[in-house]
Amino acid sequence: MKRKVTLKQIAKELDVSISTVSKALRNSVEISEDTKQKVQAFAKLYNYKPNNIALSLKNRKTNTIGIIIPEIVHHFFSKVIRGVELVANQRGYNVIIGLSNESFAKEVINMEMLANGSIDGFIISLSKETLQLQDYHHFNETINQGMPIVMFDRVVNEIQCDKVIVDDFEGAKNAVEKLIKNECKHIALITTKDYVSVGRLRTQGYLEALKTHGQDLKAELILKLDDNVDYEVNLDALEKEIEQLFKSNSKIDGIFAVNELYALTAMRVAGRLGFRVPDDIQVIGFTDGVLSKHSTPSLSTVSQHAQLMGEKAAGLLIDKLENDHEDETYQTQIIASELIERESTK
Amino acid sequence: MKRKVTLKQIAKELDVSISTVSKALRNSVEISEDTKQKVQAFAKLYNYKPNNIALSLKNRKTNTIGIIIPEIVHHFFSKVIRGVELVANQRGYNVIIGLSNESFAKEVINMEMLANGSIDGFIISLSKETLQLQDYHHFNETINQGMPIVMFDRVVNEIQCDKVIVDDFEGAKNAVEKLIKNECKHIALITTKDYVSVGRLRTQGYLEALKTHGQDLKAELILKLDDNVDYEVNLDALEKEIEQLFKSNSKIDGIFAVNELYALTAMRVAGRLGFRVPDDIQVIGFTDGVLSKHSTPSLSTVSQHAQLMGEKAAGLLIDKLENDHEDETYQTQIIASELIERESTK
DNA sequence: TTGTAGGCGTTATCAT
DNA sequence: ATGATAACGCCTACAA
C-alpha cells in the first residue's frame, strides 16, 4: 500500500528542494528543462496530485459549496441538487450536503459545522420550523462573516442575499385561470397554513385569479392544512379533510392544490365520491414530482423547473465567490413556472 | 463584516501566545484559571470556532465521507443518501456527493477529485458504464492508497472492499414464489441485460423459484431489456416491448419485473389489453420507489430498505476509519428484502 | 537555475 | 504557568 506522495517526498527522492519540485510541476520557466523532465516523470509515475486540504488552507478557498435542504427524499430537492452539482462540477467545485430534516436545530448545527472553513458558500432552502420560528440569526451571522448565501424556493425577506425562486404567485394564478377558462365555476383551493412562504404566495395567486375574473371568493372552498402533519404517512387524515371539503360544497368543479400529494389525494377522493376527473372536476397541482406523470388520470401541474433553480443558484453563488469586488447588491432570480397539461384538465 | 477570528488574533488581542490561547480553550490544566476565563470569554464573544481545514491538515483526517452514485433524482439513491447522512452526522462526519450520471469517466473524475485529501473514505454504487466496461482500476488505486471504500447495491467481486447489498436473489425468488403460491402458472419476467449485477441476480432468483416449484422455464416469457435506453423518457418504446411480450404469450397470469418502471408499465399495458390486475394478471416489482404505493392498483413490491443500506454502509466505513489496526478483512452485509403486498397481487 | 523562509490555522512537544 | 517551535502540505516572494 503506497500512501499518497507529497512534494516533500518527491524532493527527497530526487534530491532537490521542495520549491523546485513545486515549480517544476507547474512548468515554471525558472526551472531547467532537465529538472522539469525528471520531476514531472517522477510525479507521473507516483501519480502525484496536490493535496486539496493543503491548498484550501493556503488559498483560504475550499472550492466546495454547501447545500442545506430540509429533505432529500423528495423529487423537487433532489432535482435542485442535481442542478447544483452540475454547475458546481463544471466550474470546479464540490458539493457537500446537509439535511435539516425540517428542523431548526439541525439547520443551525449543520450550518455551523460547515461554516468553519469547510466550504466557501451556502445554497439553502429554509426548514419549515425555521419559517415558523422566524429566527434567522444563523444566516445573518454567516453572511456577516463574509460567507455568501444563496437561498432558493423557501426564502424570506428578512435575509439579505441572492435568491432563486419560482413565480409561485403567477404560477398559481395561471393555473386557476386555466380552470376558469375551462369553465369551472366553483374552484376549491387546497393549501397550507400561511407561514410556508410558497403556500402563501400560491394562495394569493388563487385569490387574484378569482378576483380578476369576477368570481366570488367563498371561504368554504378553501382548505388550509397544517403542513406539520406528515400526511404522507397519515393519508387517512388527509383524505378525511378533503372529503369534508367535498361534502360541504357539492358544486366544486375545479381544484387547485399547492402540492402533489394534496392534488393526487383530491383526485382519489373525488373518484371515490363518484366524481369523474376531468369531466366533473378538473384538478391542477403545483409540483415537479413524478407521481403526477404516472397517476391515472395523469395530473396537470405547474412545473417549478427544479433543476434549473439549482443551476441558477449555483451560478449565482460561484459568481459571487469569484468576484473580488465584494458586490454588496443582491438579486432575486425568478424562474418562470410552466403549466403542464395532462389528463386531469380538459 | 467581521471575518472569522483565529487563535492568532485572540492571542494578539489578549497579549498572550497562540499556544496559551489554544490550551486555554481546551481547558488545559497547564493554564491558570484566570487566563482561561479571560480567553474563553473573549473567544465566546467573538464566536471563535476552530478552522476545520486547518484541523484536517494537521490531523490528516477530514471527517468527511464521499458518496458517489449514478443518479440522485431517484428514490432509491436519495434514500441511501439519507441513511448515510444520518449515521455520518451522528458520528461527526460530513457528506460530500459526487454524481457519476452513469458515466465511467465522470465516476473516475469525481473520485480523483475527492481522493486528493478532501475525504477520508468512499461510499459508492457503480455506474452502468463501469459495469459494462468492467474497468475498476480507479477503485483499486484508491484502496491501494489506503483510502477505504464501501460499495452498495451495484457491487462487483473484482473489488476487494466492504459491501452492502440487498438479497436480490432471495428477494426475487420470494416474489416469484408468492406468485406461484397465488396459482400463477405462466409467470413472465421483465428484466435487464445481464451486465447489471442486480438484474442478473434477480433473474436468477426468478429461475430458481420456477425450478424449485417444477414450473417449466419458457424462454418466450422472459423479456430482457437494454438498460441503456432511458425508458423513462421513451415510454412508448417500453410499452411496445411489453405489448409484444403479452401478444406472444396469451396465457401470462403473473409478472415479476426487476424495477418499478417495468412493473408499472406492464400493469398499464395489461390494462389496455383488457387484462385485469390482479384478477387476470398479478404483478410484483422490485423497488423502493414511491410510484408503487400511489399507483392504481397499487403495486406489490420487493422493498430494498434503501435507507438502511445507507446507514449500514456509513457505519461500516466509519468503523474502518476509526479502527487503527488496519483490518485487512472485508465483509459483505446483506440486507433482507421484504415483500410488500399491495393491490397488484391477491 | 535552485533554494530558503514564511505563512495559511491548529495542536503537540519541549523549553523557560 | 506560559511561550517558542515544529509540523501537517502547499505555494511564492525573495535570496543565493
Side-chain angles (χ1 to χ4, degrees):
Chain A
M1 182 179 84
K2 43 177 182 182
R3 278 215 97 71
K4 294 237 69 170
V5 62
T6 68
L7 288 185
K8 199 181 192 177
Q9 289 162 35
I10 299 182
K12 195 169 163 193
E13 287 298 324
L14 298 182
D15 208 45
V16 292
S17 78
I18 294 178
S19 62
T20 301
V21 177
S22 175
K23 286 171 185 164
L25 289 177
R26 334 192 89 241
N27 240 317
S28 160
V29 286
E30 293 180 35
I31 306 296
S32 70
E33 277 309 316
D34 217 42
T35 317
K36 276 197 233 175
Q37 295 274 321
K38 216 167 41 181
V39 171
Q40 290 175 1
F42 192 93
K44 180 163 234 167
L45 180 62
Y46 282 88
N47 191 30
Y48 170 80
K49 296 273 169 50
N51 179 304
N52 288 330
I53 295 292
L55 287 178
S56 296
L57 183 60
K58 170 126 195 57
N59 303 329
R60 287 136 137 215
K61 180 125 184 10
T62 62
N63 271 267
T64 301
I65 71 191
I67 178 165
I68 310 272
I69 51 172
E71 170 60 274
I72 194 170
V73 185
H74 196 298
H75 235 70
F76 175 74
F77 288 115
S78 57
K79 278 196 160 178
V80 171
I81 295 184
R82 189 210 255 160
V84 169
E85 211 266 352
L86 182 73
V87 171
N89 254 31
Q90 276 171 1
R91 299 183 65 172
Y93 285 74
N94 282 124
V95 179
I96 193 163
I97 60 165
L99 306 182
S100 68
N101 206 22
E102 303 287 9
S103 140
F104 173 78
K106 263 210 83 182
E107 186 176 276
V108 172
I109 290 175
N110 258 308
M111 283 191 64
E112 286 180 350
M113 191 142 175
L114 296 181
N116 298 316
S118 301
I119 61 165
D120 297 332
F122 279 111
I123 290 176
I124 296 178
S125 194
L126 295 173
S127 79
K128 282 182 201 161
E129 202 184 350
T130 306
L131 286 167
Q132 268 183 292
L133 297 176
Q134 303 188 42
D135 181 346
Y136 313 120
H137 77 276
H138 46 312
F139 301 107
N140 292 319
E141 275 169 18
T142 306
I143 293 168
N144 271 333
Q145 282 173 168
M147 178 164 297
I149 292 181
V150 176
M151 300 187 41
F152 71 92
D153 195 52
R154 299 195 197 154
V155 307
V156 111
N157 283 330
E158 286 87 336
I159 307 174
Q160 295 260 326
C161 64
D162 288 328
K163 289 162 194 168
V164 181
I165 53 177
V166 72
D167 57 343
D168 290 286
F169 177 84
E170 284 296 328
K173 182 158 169 267
N174 283 341
V176 175
E177 284 183 333
K178 170 74 187 174
L179 292 175
I180 293 174
K181 213 181 73 187
N182 284 3
E183 307 195 340
C184 296
K185 306 292 183 204
H186 303 274
I187 302 171
L189 169 70
I190 307 180
T191 184
T192 60
K193 301 225 186 271
D194 278 346
Y195 66 84
V196 178
S197 53
V198 296
R200 189 178 57 243
L201 289 167
R202 291 171 197 171
T203 299
Q204 287 169 0
Y206 164 86
L207 297 175
E208 176 70 15
L210 291 191
K211 194 168 141 197
T212 305
H213 295 269
Q215 291 207 0
D216 286 344
L217 165 62
K218 289 157 223 134
E220 72 273 19
L221 284 178
I222 298 182
L223 176 57
K224 287 200 183 187
L225 295 164
D226 185 350
D227 204 25
N228 281 323
V229 180
D230 186 348
Y231 286 117
E232 181 70 49
V233 299
N234 202 354
L235 261 181
D236 284 352
L238 179 58
E239 293 186 354
K240 285 226 171 58
E241 292 273 12
I242 294 176
E243 210 170 308
Q244 202 52 43
L245 174 69
F246 280 115
K247 293 226 164 124
S248 53
N249 303 272
S250 55
K251 294 193 293 189
I252 291 177
D253 53 5
I255 294 179
F256 172 61
V258 300
N259 63 39
E260 186 167 49
L261 187 63
Y262 294 175
L264 288 175
T265 309
M267 284 211 296
R268 189 153 15 100
V269 171
R272 193 180 303 150
L273 294 178
F275 298 103
R276 308 195 41 175
V277 176
D279 302 311
D280 305 328
I281 295 184
Q282 298 181 54
V283 183
I284 300 182
F286 204 121
T287 183
D288 255 23
V290 268
L291 295 175
S292 306
K293 189 175 164 190
H294 291 273
S295 68
T296 37
S298 57
L299 175 69
S300 298
T301 65
V302 181
S303 161
Q304 306 165 85
H305 298 298
Q307 176 162 348
L308 186 59
M309 290 186 83
E311 292 171 15
K312 294 271 189 198
L316 278 175
L317 181 60
I318 296 176
D319 284 348
K320 186 131 293 186
L321 289 176
E322 300 188 343
N323 264 354
D324 299 325
H325 47 275
E326 306 255 345
D327 227 350
E328 280 305 342
T329 73
Y330 298 112
Q331 55 177 303
T332 296
Q333 289 202 2
I334 300 176
I335 309 282
S337 63
E338 182 187 2
L339 182 59
I340 298 180
E341 301 184 34
R342 298 202 183 88
E343 296 164 2
S344 66
T345 47
K346 290 183 197 168
Chain B
M1 183 179 84
K2 42 176 183 182
R3 277 214 98 70
K4 294 239 68 174
V5 63
T6 68
L7 289 185
K8 199 181 191 175
Q9 289 162 33
I10 299 181
K12 195 169 162 192
E13 288 298 325
L14 299 184
D15 208 44
V16 290
S17 77
I18 294 178
S19 52
T20 301
V21 176
S22 175
K23 285 170 186 164
L25 289 176
R26 333 192 89 242
N27 241 315
S28 162
V29 287
E30 292 182 38
I31 306 295
S32 70
E33 277 309 316
D34 217 43
T35 318
K36 276 196 235 175
Q37 295 274 321
K38 217 169 39 183
V39 172
Q40 290 175 0
F42 191 94
K44 180 164 233 167
L45 180 63
Y46 283 87
N47 191 29
Y48 170 81
K49 295 275 168 50
N51 179 303
N52 288 331
I53 295 294
L55 287 180
S56 295
L57 182 60
K58 173 117 191 66
N59 303 330
R60 287 137 136 208
K61 178 121 183 16
T62 61
N63 271 267
T64 300
I65 71 191
I67 177 165
I68 310 271
I69 52 173
E71 169 62 273
I72 194 169
V73 185
H74 196 297
H75 235 69
F76 175 74
F77 288 115
S78 56
K79 279 195 161 183
V80 171
I81 294 184
R82 190 210 257 161
V84 169
E85 212 266 351
L86 182 73
V87 171
N89 254 31
Q90 276 171 0
R91 299 184 64 172
Y93 285 73
N94 281 123
V95 179
I96 193 164
I97 58 165
L99 306 182
S100 69
N101 206 22
E102 303 287 9
S103 138
F104 173 78
K106 263 210 82 183
E107 186 175 275
V108 172
I109 290 175
N110 258 307
M111 283 192 64
E112 285 180 350
M113 192 144 174
L114 296 181
N116 298 317
S118 300
I119 61 166
D120 297 332
F122 279 111
I123 290 175
I124 296 177
S125 193
L126 296 173
S127 79
K128 282 181 200 161
E129 201 184 349
T130 305
L131 286 167
Q132 269 184 292
L133 298 177
Q134 302 188 40
D135 181 345
Y136 312 119
H137 76 277
H138 46 311
F139 300 106
N140 291 319
E141 274 169 18
T142 305
I143 293 169
N144 270 333
Q145 283 173 170
M147 178 164 297
I149 292 181
V150 176
M151 299 186 44
F152 71 92
D153 196 54
R154 298 196 198 154
V155 306
V156 111
N157 282 329
E158 286 87 335
I159 307 175
Q160 295 260 326
C161 64
D162 287 328
K163 289 162 194 168
V164 181
I165 52 176
V166 71
D167 57 342
D168 290 286
F169 177 83
E170 284 296 328
K173 183 158 167 267
N174 283 340
V176 176
E177 285 183 332
K178 169 75 186 172
L179 292 174
I180 292 174
K181 210 181 76 190
N182 283 2
E183 308 195 338
C184 295
K185 307 293 184 202
H186 303 273
I187 302 171
L189 169 70
I190 307 179
T191 185
T192 59
K193 299 223 188 275
D194 279 345
Y195 65 84
V196 178
S197 54
V198 295
R200 188 178 58 242
L201 289 168
R202 293 172 196 169
T203 299
Q204 287 170 0
Y206 162 87
L207 298 175
E208 178 69 16
L210 291 191
K211 194 168 142 197
T212 305
H213 295 268
Q215 291 207 0
D216 286 345
L217 164 62
K218 289 157 223 135
E220 72 274 18
L221 283 178
I222 298 181
L223 176 57
K224 287 200 184 188
L225 294 164
D226 185 350
D227 204 25
N228 281 323
V229 179
D230 186 349
Y231 286 117
E232 181 70 47
V233 299
N234 201 355
L235 262 181
D236 282 354
L238 179 59
E239 292 185 355
K240 284 227 171 57
E241 292 272 12
I242 294 176
E243 209 170 311
Q244 202 52 43
L245 175 68
F246 280 115
K247 294 229 163 118
S248 53
N249 304 271
S250 54
K251 295 193 290 185
I252 290 177
D253 54 5
I255 295 179
F256 173 60
V258 300
N259 64 38
E260 187 166 49
L261 186 64
Y262 294 175
L264 288 175
T265 308
M267 282 211 296
R268 188 154 14 101
V269 171
R272 193 179 303 149
L273 293 178
F275 297 104
R276 308 197 40 176
V277 176
D279 302 313
D280 304 328
I281 295 184
Q282 298 181 56
V283 183
I284 299 183
F286 204 120
T287 182
D288 255 21
V290 268
L291 296 174
S292 307
K293 189 176 165 190
H294 291 272
S295 67
T296 38
S298 57
L299 176 69
S300 298
T301 63
V302 180
S303 162
Q304 305 164 89
H305 298 297
Q307 175 162 347
L308 185 60
M309 288 187 83
E311 293 172 15
K312 294 268 189 200
L316 278 176
L317 181 59
I318 297 177
D319 284 347
K320 186 130 294 185
L321 289 174
E322 300 188 343
N323 264 354
D324 300 325
H325 47 275
E326 307 254 344
D327 229 350
E328 280 303 345
T329 72
Y330 298 112
Q331 54 176 304
T332 296
Q333 289 202 3
I334 300 176
I335 309 282
S337 63
E338 181 185 3
L339 182 59
I340 297 180
E341 301 184 36
R342 299 201 184 88
E343 298 164 0
S344 66
T345 47
K346 291 185 195 168

